[in-house]
Amino acid sequence: MNLPNALTALRIFLVPWLVVLLLTRTHWGWFLGLVVFTIAVITDYFDGWLARKRNEQTKLGAFLDPLADKLLLSAAFISLIELEMAPAWIVAVIIGREFAVTWLRSEALGRGIVMSASGAGKAKTVSQIVAIYVMLLALRMPVFEILRAPSLFVALGLTLYSGYDYFRRFSRAGAKS
């Protein structure tokens, strides 16, 4: 286990803590949930950066990193449904896209096609993180309420577009093989 993989494992470990802290519905629970989410987002950045910089990219890391991202973002979005900050239908579309793209990437790999993360996929992740921050901040700071719907719809749009992009890339790669 190298440092990048340890950071990814930490992110997975933080997921249940995030849910518990957010759903306690106390001031400190909200604040600590925000801190845990921030730590998890920072580990998401640094695990990949360190793996590339130190040439420590592993198959385990390639498997765990997207899994950790999906667990973190799905847990945050589902918690935000319970906190009445995110509509369930938007969260269902976002999580449904994650399952669909995970299946697609697995299918591609089975055919010998490697589908690395795309720019659209990275933009999708950033937009989802921003939307989660906006909703978490809106829980205690009403000034963020005005940004809640726009941030969610940007995240939804990028989620749908990146899903389309993965399926388009798969279709093109499959036609070439």
Side-chain angles (χ1 to χ4, degrees):
M1 168 93 47
N2 60 28
L3 180 57
N5 288 350
L7 289 172
T8 301
L10 173 63
R11 191 160 69 255
I12 293 170
F13 174 77
L14 290 174
V15 170
W17 289 101
L18 173 68
V19 173
V20 167
L21 290 167
L22 290 178
L23 297 184
T24 58
R25 297 180 187 240
T26 65
H27 179 75
W28 286 108
W30 164 83
F31 178 75
L32 292 173
L34 191 62
V35 169
V36 165
F37 185 71
T38 300
I39 292 167
V41 167
I42 290 169
T43 67
D44 185 27
Y45 173 78
F46 280 109
D47 64 1
W49 181 78
L50 282 170
R52 287 184 299 277
K53 181 175 170 75
R54 297 167 59 161
N55 197 27
E56 293 182 346
Q57 295 165 310
T58 65
K59 289 181 182 179
L60 178 63
F63 170 75
L64 285 181
D65 185 62
L67 174 65
D69 292 346
K70 286 168 185 42
L71 290 172
L72 175 67
L73 296 177
S74 295
F77 275 122
I78 291 167
S79 296
L80 287 162
I81 292 171
E82 177 63 24
L83 294 169
E84 299 179 356
M85 295 303 288
W89 73 269
I90 290 178
V91 173
V93 169
I94 289 171
I95 293 173
R97 177 264 184 218
E98 297 303 328
F99 279 106
V101 168
T102 298
W103 168 82
L104 179 75
R105 290 176 84 174
S106 175
E107 182 69 22
L109 197 56
R111 296 180 186 190
I113 302 167
V114 176
M115 298 194 65
S116 57
S118 68
K122 291 179 183 194
K124 176 266 314 174
T125 300
V126 169
S127 71
Q128 289 178 0
I129 290 168
V130 168
I132 290 166
Y133 270 117
V134 166
M135 289 182 283
L136 288 174
L137 292 170
L139 283 167
R140 296 288 188 266
M141 295 177 234
V143 68
F144 285 94
E145 181 62 33
I146 195 165
L147 299 173
R148 185 165 59 111
S151 70
L152 262 171
F153 282 105
V154 167
L156 177 64
L158 286 171
T159 297
L160 292 171
Y161 175 74
S162 69
Y164 160 78
D165 183 54
Y166 275 106
F167 277 88
R168 179 185 56 81
R169 288 172 44 211
F170 176 74
S171 176
R172 287 184 180 168
K176 291 178 184 173
S177 56

